[in-house]
Amino acid sequence: MNRGVSNTIMLQNTVLTVFIFLFSGVSGLVFAQTPEAAIRPTYIAGDVTAIGARSIVITTKTGQSEVILTEKTAFKRASAENMNPATATPGVLADVGVGDKVTVSALLASDGKSMNARTVYFVTKADIAAKNAKDAAEWQKRGIMGRVVKVDPQTNQINVELRSLTGSSNVTLTPKESAKFLRYAQDSIRFDEAKDSSIAEVKAGDMLRALGDRSADGMSFSAEKVVTGAFQTVAGTVKSIDAAKNEVLIKNLQTGKDVTVVIGDTSVLKRFPAEMAEQMARLQIAGAGGPRPAGQGPAQPATPGASGQAPGAERGFGGQRPAGSIEDMLDRFPNITSVDLKVGDIIALSSTKNVNMDRIKAIKLIAGVEPFLRAAQATGVGQRGQGVQAGINIPGLDGVSFP
């Protein structure tokens, strides 16, 4: 998924969560050694947005907080790799920069209003970026992504469909003994918002991303980390746009019913470049062995770069995510807003699966997808009984973020 909703690989929330948890475990030892131990400190965690000679402004989930720095304030630098405050090393104010992650233990000042910082624990944005890059490279090298076909509780295995532009293949995933399971939160494809889970929560149709080792023949995968989520792809024709509410009313192409699409702050809206969409749709048809749509020439061979991807990128969802893959390309596609949509446009979006299909929140929304819908019809996957959504394959739409 953070490049936006799914767009940027982010560790930041994870850093804060683990950081605060570990900090609370050692804080009792720290404060018990001071005369002020009876005064319970306040913990303020967030991003540094401003630094002064006597104060630091921190942006938290609930707003901004300013803490006063005194001659007694201690600075401790924690590592993004090892966020245990007990292993933090001494630092100074000059080491802290805007954009760093901090957890500050503070006490109410004598004026009864301001907060005096006792200790400022910080992780630099440079360390976080390095950690993100390292993790991303690991998942690109040893990760797979696909859709769950079947979960076998008897063998403790998961059958996963790995999709590419020109077809699909299946792999049998077996969790390692110490494998960790996570599940994406409601309306989120951000890894740092995923919750602890288990194989019991994995269901057919889920999106799955796993880290581990693939067998030499590519048929099996030994997983040490598995992240799943229940998502759906919905395609429809725009009927109206309410820019003030940031909502779009569409006619669901599968059910024929109206659906209100809510566009949130974290929704990613993109437009597929027309020529690239046509090229990729032709590859889908060629890969499925379907007939050519009227007006389109013969399919071109899937040579490197023919789909607009770098060599090797055609492994797509099922293999590594090399530089120039469709997920990377999606990031560079034009950003749009609800205002850029017009009545009659055909769009496709991903959302969390829910019972209420009258109103859904978009995780990703992509315009310019008509060629892929024609490809689905041309190959027969969009026929009645299967549904458009069951067969539509829009590269990048159902992607979720890398940890």
Side-chain angles (χ1 to χ4, degrees):
M1 162 206 7
N2 179 322
R3 297 183 176 114
V5 160
S6 62
N7 300 25
T8 305
I9 305 167
M10 298 298 291
L11 254 148
Q12 297 180 353
N13 290 345
T14 305
V15 169
L16 284 178
T17 301
V18 177
F19 199 32
I20 295 171
F21 174 77
L22 292 172
F23 179 80
S24 63
V26 300
S27 61
L29 295 176
V30 174
F31 291 108
Q33 298 171 2
T34 71
E36 297 169 327
I39 303 176
R40 186 175 182 85
T42 296
Y43 301 111
I44 304 171
D47 300 333
V48 176
T49 52
I51 303 174
R54 297 291 305 277
S55 67
I56 294 179
V57 178
I58 303 169
T59 297
T60 69
K61 290 184 178 181
T62 58
Q64 287 192 337
S65 297
E66 183 177 16
V67 293
I68 306 301
L69 305 176
T70 72
E71 63 279 1
K72 295 182 179 180
T73 301
F75 294 88
K76 299 285 187 178
R77 179 171 181 168
S79 167
E81 296 281 354
N82 180 9
M83 295 173 287
N84 189 337
T87 63
T89 58
V92 295
L93 175 59
D95 296 331
V96 183
V98 172
D100 290 352
K101 293 289 179 181
V102 297
T103 296
V104 179
S105 61
L107 297 174
L108 190 65
S110 57
D111 61 9
K113 298 179 181 179
S114 56
M115 301 296 297
N116 288 342
R118 292 288 306 274
T119 306
V120 178
Y121 286 84
F122 64 97
V123 182
T124 69
K125 61 182 179 181
D127 285 348
I128 293 173
K131 173 66 172 173
N132 286 342
K134 179 181 177 181
D135 288 349
E138 182 73 359
W139 279 78
Q140 289 168 10
K141 181 180 179 181
R142 301 180 58 233
I144 61 169
M145 175 179 154
R147 191 176 300 276
V148 175
V149 176
K150 178 184 178 182
V151 181
D152 190 335
Q154 301 299 321
T155 61
N156 200 42
Q157 292 179 321
I158 303 172
N159 184 264
V160 185
E161 178 191 18
L162 310 178
R163 300 171 65 182
S164 70
L165 292 177
T166 58
S168 65
S169 61
N170 284 46
V171 63
T172 299
L173 182 151
T174 303
K176 295 181 180 181
E177 185 175 350
S178 57
K180 182 177 180 61
F181 280 80
L182 296 168
R183 193 162 182 85
Y184 286 98
Q186 184 79 9
D187 295 327
S188 172
I189 55 171
R190 288 175 58 97
F191 176 80
D192 53 21
E193 294 177 352
K195 311 296 182 183
D196 286 337
S197 183
S198 67
I199 193 172
E201 290 192 77
V202 183
K203 301 292 187 294
D206 284 353
M207 288 302 301
L208 176 147
R209 191 180 288 278
L211 178 70
D213 302 303
R214 197 166 182 175
S215 62
D217 61 7
M219 300 299 292
S220 60
F221 190 87
S222 182
E224 56 198 50
K225 184 174 290 186
V226 181
V227 194
T228 62
F231 304 105
Q232 62 186 351
T233 296
V234 178
T237 305
V238 175
K239 296 184 66 176
S240 64
I241 302 105
D242 189 331
K245 293 183 178 179
N246 223 12
E247 295 180 354
V248 179
L249 182 67
I250 67 172
K251 179 180 179 181
N252 189 318
L253 293 181
Q254 181 184 30
T255 65
K257 296 181 179 180
D258 288 350
V259 179
T260 298
V261 179
V262 180
I263 300 172
D265 294 338
T266 57
S267 300
V268 175
L269 278 68
K270 296 282 185 176
R271 184 179 296 278
F272 230 111
E275 184 177 353
M276 185 179 294
E278 292 287 355
Q279 290 178 341
M280 291 184 173
R282 286 198 293 269
L283 285 173
Q284 288 183 355
I285 295 173
R292 307 301 303 156
Q296 291 190 2
Q300 299 299 316
T303 55
S307 65
Q309 293 179 311
E314 52 270 17
R315 291 185 63 184
F317 298 141
Q320 300 175 11
R321 177 184 167 185
S325 73
I326 184 57
E327 291 183 62
D328 291 322
M329 285 185 179
L330 186 65
D331 296 335
R332 297 191 291 272
F333 286 172
N335 291 311
I336 62 174
T337 67
S338 58
V339 178
D340 297 311
L341 299 175
K342 297 179 177 59
V343 173
D345 283 351
I346 296 178
I347 62 174
L349 62 108
S350 61
S351 72
T352 301
K353 284 185 178 179
N354 52 51
V355 177
N356 180 18
M357 280 298 296
D358 296 332
R359 187 180 180 85
I360 58 178
K361 181 178 179 181
I363 296 175
K364 289 183 181 179
L365 184 154
I366 303 181
V369 298
E370 292 89 338
F372 298 105
L373 297 179
R374 292 197 299 267
Q377 294 172 345
T379 55
V381 296
Q383 300 300 321
R384 186 176 299 275
Q386 288 182 295
V388 175
Q389 276 78 348
I392 188 172
N393 179 7
I394 300 178
L397 181 61
D398 54 0
V400 289
S401 68
F402 281 100

